[in-house]
């Protein structure tokens, strides 16, 4: 499931390059719960029940509400994706989230071996805490916790966010995933998988011959 989200990020990066700045190093996406469910539903239906799309979205809702005073605005949560390509030569300065946020959860999508930098840091009780980014792990915080991210100096860093619907994820430059994007992405992914399977079959026939 993390892999298909990473693939979506790469797909959307390629499909928005023409309309983005030439020196772009960062991309933030929002997608609806329905779009998220459609993508996960395209995966193997034999997966364990807890990995079914509906179970995942219910878990996301529970995760969002676990943060004290979550959903103060009463609008619920949304899903955001972020991809940063190094070198960025910039960081996310230490900050508190604004009134738009009541709950923020982050799930790393790819291995830290794929990039350098991009360390999530919290400053709590006069101490600096650097959070390990194990793929699939969960980090949560309320808005009044001071936090920042070091610059990505190399590679590509990918993350999923569960945030308030009122959270603009930085406002400028947000890419809203459309239904057409999802259809095109899944079609391209299916074609790539079919081609890979066919190549494997051809290689097997050649080996036997």
């Amino acid at each position: 499931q993390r892999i298909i989200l990473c693939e979506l990020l790469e797909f959307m990066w390629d499909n928005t390059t023409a309309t983005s700045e030439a020196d772009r190093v960062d991309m933030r996406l929002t997608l609806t719960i329905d779009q998220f469910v459609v993508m996960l539903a395209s995966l193997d239906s034999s997966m364990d029940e807890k990995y079914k799309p509906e179970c995942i979205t219910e878990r996301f809702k529970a995760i969002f509400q676990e943060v004290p005073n979550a959903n103060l605005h009463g609008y619920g949560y949304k899903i955001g994706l972020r991809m940063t390509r190094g070198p960025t030569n910039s960081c996310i300065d230490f900050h508190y989230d604004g009134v738009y946020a009541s709950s923020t959860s982050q799930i790393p999508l790819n291995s830290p071996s794929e990039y350098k930098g991009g360390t999530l840091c919290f400053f709590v009780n006069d101490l600096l805490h650097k959070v390990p980014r194990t793929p699939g792990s969960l980090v949560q915080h309320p808005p009044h916790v001071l936090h920042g991210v070091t610059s990505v100096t190399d590679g590509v860093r990918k993350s999923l966010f569960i945030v308030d619907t009122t959270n603009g994820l930085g406002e400028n430059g947000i890419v809203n995933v459309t239904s057409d994007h999802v259809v095109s992405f899944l079609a391209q992914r299916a074609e790539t998988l079919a081609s890979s399977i066919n190549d494997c079959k051809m290689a097997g026939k050649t080996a036997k011959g």
Side-chain angles (χ1 to χ4, degrees), residues 52-144:
K52 302 288 182 169
E54 295 77 10
C55 294
I56 295 292
T57 54
E58 281 301 309
R59 178 58 183 144
F60 280 2
K61 181 179 179 181
I63 286 171
F64 174 71
Q65 294 175 338
E66 283 173 2
V67 175
N69 298 315
N71 201 26
L72 286 176
H73 308 290
Y75 298 118
Y77 79 95
K78 68 180 179 183
I79 297 170
L81 299 176
R82 186 168 195 164
M83 183 168 85
T84 305
R85 288 186 181 275
T88 61
N89 298 317
S90 63
C91 63
I92 299 177
D93 290 335
F94 276 103
H95 65 284
Y96 297 105
D97 291 336
V99 295
Y100 53 80
S102 68
S103 170
T104 300
S105 298
Q106 180 180 160
I107 299 174
L109 295 177
N110 64 326
S111 170
S113 65
E114 297 179 26
Y115 57 90
K116 296 178 181 178
T119 303
L120 175 61
C121 303
F122 291 94
F123 194 73
V124 181
N125 295 329
D126 294 327
L127 293 175
L128 179 67
H129 302 269
K130 297 181 179 181
V131 182
R133 281 181 54 84
T134 304
S137 62
L138 173 68
V139 178
Q140 299 172 285
H141 65 85
H144 53 268

